Amino acid sequence: MVSVIGLFIAFTVFIIYAINRMTNRLCVQKEIPNERQPKVFRTINILILILLLSSYVEILYT
């Protein structure tokens, strides 16, 4: 159980880092103004966290 939690936390950190790098590239490529970038990052991060939490709950209860 503890190893699954540790593995999932490491996976989560990697996924969040990779998604944030891709979001930054998107903002640069689409020339999104600096004022809107925090909102874009916040929205994407919240959606990814919801996805990761739901997958963790699915793994935990199956």
Side-chain angles (χ1 to χ4, degrees):
M1 179 69 172
V2 174
S3 64
V4 172
I5 293 172
L7 183 65
F8 200 81
I9 289 173
F11 175 73
T12 300
V13 169
F14 173 73
I15 292 297
I16 292 293
Y17 175 74
I19 295 295
N20 281 333
R21 284 189 58 195
M22 289 189 284
T23 303
N24 187 35
R25 289 181 191 162
L26 173 76
C27 289
V28 169
Q29 182 180 10
K30 296 296 182 182
E31 299 175 355
I32 296 175
N34 288 338
E35 300 83 32
R36 291 189 57 214
Q37 286 184 13
K39 187 175 182 180
V40 171
F41 275 92
R42 188 178 318 115
T43 302
I44 291 174
N45 283 336
I46 288 171
L47 293 173
I48 293 299
L49 283 174
I50 290 170
L51 178 67
L52 288 169
L53 283 172
S54 65
S55 64
Y56 176 73
V57 168
E58 183 179 347
I59 290 171
L60 190 63
Y61 292 112
T62 43

